[in-house]
Amino acid sequence: MEIFWVLFIPLLGGLLLAVFGTHRNAPELNSLMSFATLIASAVLTTRVISDGSFTAWNEQFFVDAFNVFLVALTAFVGFTTSLFSRPYMRIEQHHGKLSINMLRLYYSMYQLFTFTMLLALLTNNMGILWVAMEAATLTTVLLVSLYRTPASLEAAWKYFILCGVGIAQALFGTILLYFAAEKILGAGGTALLWTHLNEVKGQLEPTVLSLAFVFLLVGYGTKVGLAPLHNWLPDAHAEGPTPVSAVLSGLLLNVALYAVVRSKVLVDGALGTHFAGNLMMGFGQLSVVMAAFFLSRQKDVKRMFAYSSIEHMGLMTFAFGMGGAVATFAGLLHMTVHCLTKSAIFFAVGHAAQQSGTQLMDGIRGLIKTSPSVGWGLALGTLAILGMPPFGVFTSEFMILTTAMHAYPWTMPFLLIALGVAFASIFGQMQRMVFGETTGKRLPHPPALIPVFVHLALVLMLGLYIPPYLADWYRQAAALIG
C-alpha cells in the first residue's frame, strides 16, 4: 500500500495541476503534492528499515535498502525544489519570460516527472524500468523547452534525439536480457523481474549477458551523462528553467545510474568476472577527465555546473565499477551529497542569474553585496562540490580515491589531475561572481534560499558525522550491489 501512495500522489498532482495550473495558488499546490509524496516516501522507508525488502502487486514492484534510499532522496529534493520554484517561477513570469499556460505546463510536468522517476526506482520489471526512463525523457523535454526560445528548443531537440537513441540501445539490451532469461525462467513477464533474474543470474548465458550490458550501459549511460554520450546535458541545463536543472542534475542522473548498477549486479553474477566493472570504470574515468577540461572553457554559469555534474557522475560510475564494500559505500554517499549540493548550487545560481539578468559569468558580479544570502549560498555550495573539507563530498571523494589508490593505482594520475583542473576552473569563477564589483539588482520577489542552506547543512553533517542508522542503510545497500 505504501508503494501505491508514493506513485499515486505525484500522478494525481500532475493531473490536478494540468487542470488547475493557471490558478494563482498553483505553486502552493505543487509544493503540497511534493510534500505529500515526501511523507509517503518516509512511511515506505520506515517499513523497509523495520521489515526489510519486499515485493508488491504480483511482484511487479520491489523495494530494498538500495532503491528506497534513492526514493527518499528523490522525494526530499523534489519537495525542496518545489519550494524554490514558487518565487523563482513568479519572478520569471514578472520578467515576461513565461505565460500562465507555460506555468501550468511546468507544474503538471514537474509532478509527472517525479512520478516517472519514482516508478523507475520502484519497479521490479526491467521492461517497465525502460518505459519509465523513456517517460522521464519525454516529460523533461517539455520542461527544457519551456521558454520556447530558439536556444531552448534546440537544446530540447538535442536532448530528445540523443537520449532517444540511447534509450533505444537500452531497449535492445533489455530484449537481450529477456532472451537470456527466457531459457531459464520460461516465457512471460517473470523473465524480466529483477528479483527472479537475481536468483538465477549464475545460470544465465554469459555471452548474451555481456552483450546486453554493453547496450544497457550505453543506453542508460546516455541519461547518466557519461562521456562521450554527454552532449545533451550542458545544453539542457543551460536553456531550461533552473528548477529543472536542479532535478536533472540531482535526481534524474542518479536514477539512470541506478538502472546501470542494477544491470551490473546481474552481469557480475552471470560472468563471475570484472567485465562490467571495467567498462564502468573506463567510462567513468573518461567522463571525469573530459568534463574537467571542458570546465575551463565555459562562460555560462549553468553550463559550467552541468559539466561539473558530468564529472561527479563519472566519479560515481567509477566507484560502482570498482565494486567492493568501501567503494560502493562511497558511491552511495557521493550520490547523496552530490544530489544535495548540486541542487543547492542551482538554486543559488538561478537567483543570481535573475538578479544580473544574464547567465554569463562575466555579467554576474558582487553577489555578496546585492544579496548576501545568494552570494554565501553559491560560495559555500561551490566549496562543497569542489570537495573541500569538512563537507560530505570530501569524505566520499577521499574514500573513492584511497580505494582506487590501493586497487587501481594507475588511475590516480588521471583522476587527480582532472580534479585539480576542475577545482581551479570553478573556484576562480566563483570568486569573481561572489566578490567582484556589483552588477546585479534587487529581485521583485524575495528568493527562497531556505532549501539552499538546508541542503548544505545536511552535506556538512554527512562530512562530519554519518548517523548510525544512515551508515547501516548505506552498508546494507552496498552489500546488495557491491
Side-chain angles (χ1 to χ4, degrees):
M1 197 63 181
E2 294 91 345
I3 294 176
F4 170 79
W5 289 111
V6 170
L7 296 174
F8 176 72
I9 292 171
L11 182 60
L12 176 63
L15 296 174
L16 288 176
L17 285 161
V19 177
F20 302 109
T22 55
H23 194 274
R24 61 185 181 88
N25 290 326
E28 286 70 27
L29 177 59
N30 185 48
S31 296
L32 178 64
M33 300 307 294
S34 296
F35 180 68
T37 303
L38 176 60
I39 295 297
S41 301
V43 173
L44 177 63
T45 302
T46 303
R47 178 178 173 185
V48 173
I49 291 173
S50 61
D51 300 340
S53 60
F54 64 92
T55 58
W57 294 0
N58 197 27
E59 296 188 293
Q60 293 301 310
F61 293 90
F62 169 64
V63 190
D64 62 7
F66 180 30
N67 61 355
V68 81
F69 138 71
L70 288 171
V71 166
L73 185 63
T74 298
F76 175 73
V77 175
F79 171 59
T80 56
T81 304
S82 71
L83 294 179
F84 164 75
S85 294
R86 292 172 62 244
Y88 181 87
M89 300 307 280
R90 281 174 171 149
I91 292 169
E92 293 294 271
Q93 186 182 17
H94 179 86
H95 289 163
K97 293 184 178 180
L98 295 173
S99 66
I100 194 69
N101 286 323
M102 289 179 179
L103 288 174
R104 175 168 61 183
L105 175 65
Y106 168 78
Y107 291 122
S108 59
M109 287 300 107
Y110 184 88
Q111 289 296 319
L112 290 178
F113 175 53
T114 304
F115 166 74
T116 58
M117 287 190 294
L118 294 172
L119 177 62
L121 291 171
L122 290 170
T123 184
N124 190 27
N125 190 308
M126 297 297 286
I128 296 177
L129 171 62
W130 180 87
V131 171
M133 293 300 298
E134 178 69 6
T137 301
L138 296 176
T139 54
T140 43
V141 162
L142 295 173
L143 290 171
V144 168
S145 64
L146 190 68
Y147 290 125
R148 298 294 188 270
T149 62
S152 67
L153 292 172
E154 180 185 351
W157 181 248
K158 182 186 291 188
Y159 173 41
F160 176 71
I161 293 297
L162 291 178
C163 287
V165 171
I167 288 295
Q169 304 298 311
L171 175 61
F172 191 58
T174 305
I175 292 170
L176 286 173
L177 188 61
Y178 177 80
F179 176 73
E182 184 186 12
K183 297 178 180 178
I184 308 298
L185 297 171
T190 57
L192 279 176
L193 296 182
W194 188 88
T195 48
H196 289 218
L197 290 165
N198 192 44
E199 289 172 359
V200 301
K201 59 188 177 185
Q203 304 173 47
L204 299 176
E205 173 58 42
T207 305
V208 177
L209 262 288
S210 301
L211 189 59
F213 184 75
V214 171
F215 283 103
L216 289 167
L217 178 60
V218 171
Y220 292 129
T222 304
K223 296 286 288 186
V224 177
L226 297 178
L229 314 166
H230 65 282
N231 302 59
W232 65 269
L233 197 149
D235 290 337
H237 282 62
E239 301 303 333
T242 299
V244 176
S245 303
V247 291
L248 278 175
S249 249
L251 300 180
L252 182 61
L253 305 187
N254 276 358
V255 175
L257 184 55
Y258 162 84
V260 173
V261 174
R262 283 290 195 202
S263 304
K264 175 183 180 289
V265 173
L266 301 177
V267 177
D268 285 346
L271 273 63
T273 67
H274 206 244
F275 170 77
N278 289 338
L279 277 179
M280 291 178 69
M281 287 174 61
F283 275 103
Q285 186 168 326
L286 178 64
S287 301
V288 173
V289 173
M290 285 189 64
F293 286 95
F294 273 114
L295 274 168
S296 61
R297 302 171 53 194
Q298 300 310 307
K299 300 182 184 299
D300 183 298
V301 62
K302 289 173 69 176
R303 286 182 68 89
M304 181 178 75
F305 284 113
Y307 276 106
S308 172
S309 294
I310 296 171
E311 175 204 1
H312 285 278
M313 294 311 296
L315 202 57
M316 288 177 225
T317 305
F318 181 83
F320 287 122
M322 283 194 292
V326 177
T328 307
F329 184 101
L332 294 169
L333 178 60
H334 202 70
M335 265 186 163
T336 308
V337 293
H338 173 260
C339 171
L340 294 171
T341 308
K342 190 55 64 65
S343 52
I345 288 173
F346 275 114
F347 296 161
V349 162
H351 283 313
Q354 285 181 329
Q355 283 185 332
S356 304
T358 180
Q359 290 179 189
L360 297 178
M361 288 181 280
D362 288 342
I364 303 175
R365 292 289 185 268
L367 293 174
I368 206 74
K369 298 176 184 176
T370 56
S371 181
S373 56
V374 173
W376 281 114
L378 180 57
L380 293 174
T382 302
L383 291 174
I385 206 64
L386 290 174
M388 292 292 288
F391 290 101
V393 179
F394 169 79
T395 305
S396 58
E397 285 187 351
F398 183 78
M399 293 173 70
I400 293 169
L401 292 174
T402 51
T403 305
M405 190 181 298
H406 174 72
Y408 303 95
W410 60 269
T411 63
M412 292 307 296
F414 300 101
L415 293 176
L416 291 176
I417 290 172
L419 292 174
V421 171
F423 184 97
S425 302
I426 297 177
F427 187 75
Q429 293 288 4
M430 181 273 291
Q431 282 186 304
R432 288 189 284 272
M433 287 189 290
V434 174
F435 300 107
E437 291 297 322
T438 304
T439 60
K441 55 185 181 297
R442 300 286 176 182
L443 294 171
H445 298 278
L449 291 172
I450 291 177
V452 175
F453 294 104
V454 169
H455 284 205
L456 293 179
L458 290 172
V459 174
L460 179 62
M461 181 197 75
L462 291 173
L464 298 171
Y465 171 73
I466 301 177
Y469 67 88
L470 189 57
D472 289 340
W473 197 0
Y474 286 143
R475 289 192 197 99
Q476 290 175 32
L480 289 169
I481 63 178

Coordinates of all heavy atoms in Angstrom, one line a residue, residues 337-366:
V337 N 25.4 13.2 -1.4 CA 26.0 14.6 -1.2 C 26.0 15.4 -2.5 O 25.8 16.6 -2.5 CB 27.3 14.5 -0.5 CG1 27.2 14.0 0.9 CG2 28.3 13.7 -1.3
H338 N 26.2 14.7 -3.6 CA 26.2 15.4 -4.9 C 24.8 15.9 -5.2 O 24.6 17.1 -5.7 CB 26.7 14.5 -6.1 CG 26.6 15.2 -7.4 ND1 25.5 14.9 -8.3 CD2 27.3 16.1 -8.0 CE1 25.6 15.6 -9.4 NE2 26.7 16.4 -9.2
C339 N 23.8 15.1 -5.0 CA 22.4 15.5 -5.3 C 22.1 16.7 -4.4 O 21.5 17.7 -5.0 CB 21.5 14.3 -4.9 SG 19.8 14.7 -4.9
L340 N 22.4 16.7 -3.2 CA 22.0 17.8 -2.3 C 22.8 19.0 -2.6 O 22.2 20.1 -2.7 CB 22.2 17.4 -0.8 CG 21.4 16.3 -0.3 CD1 21.9 15.8 1.1 CD2 19.9 16.7 -0.2
T341 N 24.1 18.9 -2.9 CA 24.9 20.1 -3.1 C 24.6 20.7 -4.5 O 24.5 21.9 -4.6 CB 26.4 19.7 -3.1 OG1 26.7 19.0 -1.9 CG2 27.3 20.9 -3.2
K342 N 24.5 19.9 -5.5 CA 24.3 20.4 -6.9 C 23.0 21.1 -7.0 O 22.9 22.2 -7.6 CB 24.5 19.3 -7.9 CG 24.6 19.8 -9.3 CD 25.7 20.9 -9.6 CE 27.0 20.3 -9.3 NZ 27.5 19.3 -10.3
S343 N 21.9 20.5 -6.4 CA 20.6 21.2 -6.4 C 20.7 22.5 -5.7 O 20.1 23.5 -6.1 CB 19.5 20.3 -5.8 OG 19.9 19.8 -4.6
A344 N 21.4 22.6 -4.5 CA 21.6 23.8 -3.8 C 22.3 24.9 -4.6 O 21.9 26.1 -4.6 CB 22.3 23.6 -2.5
I345 N 23.3 24.4 -5.4 CA 24.1 25.4 -6.2 C 23.2 25.9 -7.3 O 23.2 27.2 -7.6 CB 25.3 24.7 -6.8 CG1 26.3 24.4 -5.8 CG2 25.9 25.5 -8.0 CD1 27.5 23.6 -6.2
F346 N 22.4 25.1 -7.9 CA 21.5 25.6 -9.0 C 20.4 26.5 -8.4 O 20.0 27.5 -9.1 CB 20.8 24.4 -9.7 CG 21.7 23.9 -10.9 CD1 22.2 22.6 -10.8 CD2 22.0 24.7 -12.0 CE1 23.0 22.1 -11.8 CE2 22.8 24.2 -13.0 CZ 23.3 22.9 -12.9
F347 N 20.0 26.3 -7.2 CA 19.0 27.2 -6.6 C 19.7 28.6 -6.5 O 19.1 29.6 -6.8 CB 18.6 26.8 -5.2 CG 17.9 25.5 -5.1 CD1 17.8 24.8 -3.9 CD2 17.3 25.0 -6.2 CE1 17.1 23.6 -3.8 CE2 16.6 23.8 -6.2 CZ 16.5 23.1 -5.0
A348 N 20.9 28.7 -6.0 CA 21.6 29.9 -5.8 C 21.9 30.6 -7.2 O 21.8 31.8 -7.4 CB 22.9 29.7 -5.0
V349 N 22.4 29.7 -8.1 CA 22.7 30.2 -9.5 C 21.5 30.8 -10.1 O 21.5 31.8 -10.8 CB 23.3 29.1 -10.3 CG1 23.2 29.4 -11.8 CG2 24.7 28.8 -9.9
G350 N 20.3 30.2 -9.9 CA 19.1 30.7 -10.6 C 18.8 32.1 -10.1 O 18.5 32.9 -11.0
H351 N 18.8 32.3 -8.9 CA 18.5 33.7 -8.4 C 19.6 34.7 -8.8 O 19.4 35.9 -9.0 CB 18.3 33.7 -6.9 CG 17.0 33.2 -6.5 ND1 15.8 33.6 -7.1 CD2 16.6 32.3 -5.5 CE1 14.8 33.0 -6.5 NE2 15.2 32.2 -5.6
A352 N 20.9 34.2 -8.8 CA 22.0 35.1 -9.2 C 21.8 35.5 -10.7 O 22.0 36.7 -11.0 CB 23.3 34.3 -9.0
A353 N 21.4 34.6 -11.5 CA 21.1 34.9 -12.9 C 20.0 35.9 -13.1 O 20.0 36.8 -13.9 CB 20.9 33.7 -13.7
Q354 N 18.9 35.7 -12.2 CA 17.8 36.6 -12.3 C 18.2 38.0 -11.8 O 17.7 39.0 -12.4 CB 16.7 36.1 -11.4 CG 15.9 34.9 -12.0 CD 14.8 34.4 -11.1 OE1 14.9 34.5 -9.9 NE2 13.7 33.9 -11.7
Q355 N 19.0 38.1 -10.8 CA 19.5 39.4 -10.4 C 20.3 40.2 -11.4 O 20.1 41.4 -11.6 CB 20.3 39.3 -9.1 CG 19.5 39.0 -7.8 CD 20.4 39.0 -6.6 OE1 21.6 38.7 -6.7 NE2 19.9 39.3 -5.5
S356 N 21.2 39.4 -12.1 CA 22.1 40.0 -13.0 C 21.5 40.1 -14.4 O 22.0 40.9 -15.3 CB 23.4 39.2 -13.1 OG 24.0 39.1 -11.8
G357 N 20.4 39.4 -14.7 CA 19.8 39.4 -16.0 C 20.6 38.7 -17.0 O 20.3 38.8 -18.2
T358 N 21.5 37.8 -16.6 CA 22.3 37.0 -17.6 C 22.8 35.8 -16.9 O 23.0 35.7 -15.7 CB 23.5 37.8 -18.1 OG1 24.2 37.0 -19.0 CG2 24.4 38.3 -17.0
Q359 N 23.1 34.7 -17.7 CA 23.7 33.5 -17.2 C 25.2 33.5 -17.4 O 26.0 32.6 -17.0 CB 23.1 32.3 -17.8 CG 21.7 32.0 -17.3 CD 21.1 30.8 -17.9 OE1 19.9 30.5 -17.8 NE2 21.9 30.0 -18.6
L360 N 25.7 34.5 -18.2 CA 27.1 34.6 -18.5 C 27.9 35.1 -17.2 O 27.5 36.0 -16.6 CB 27.4 35.6 -19.6 CG 26.8 35.2 -21.0 CD1 27.0 36.3 -22.0 CD2 27.3 33.9 -21.5
M361 N 28.9 34.4 -16.9 CA 29.6 34.6 -15.6 C 30.3 36.0 -15.6 O 30.4 36.6 -14.5 CB 30.6 33.5 -15.4 CG 30.0 32.2 -15.0 SD 31.1 30.9 -14.6 CE 31.6 30.3 -16.3
D362 N 30.6 36.5 -16.8 CA 31.2 37.9 -16.8 C 30.2 38.9 -16.4 O 30.6 40.0 -16.0 CB 31.7 38.2 -18.3 CG 33.0 37.4 -18.6 OD1 33.6 36.9 -17.7 OD2 33.3 37.2 -19.8
G363 N 28.9 38.6 -16.5 CA 27.9 39.6 -16.1 C 27.4 39.4 -14.7 O 26.5 40.2 -14.3
I364 N 27.9 38.4 -14.0 CA 27.4 38.1 -12.6 C 28.6 38.5 -11.7 O 29.6 37.9 -11.7 CB 27.0 36.7 -12.4 CG1 25.9 36.3 -13.4 CG2 26.6 36.4 -11.0 CD1 25.6 34.8 -13.3
R365 N 28.4 39.6 -11.0 CA 29.4 40.1 -10.1 C 28.8 40.6 -8.8 O 27.7 41.1 -8.8 CB 30.2 41.2 -10.8 CG 31.1 40.7 -11.9 CD 32.3 39.9 -11.5 NE 33.2 39.6 -12.6 CZ 33.1 38.5 -13.3 NH1 32.1 37.6 -13.0 NH2 34.0 38.2 -14.3
G366 N 29.6 40.6 -7.7 CA 29.2 41.2 -6.5 C 28.0 40.7 -5.8 O 27.2 41.5 -5.2

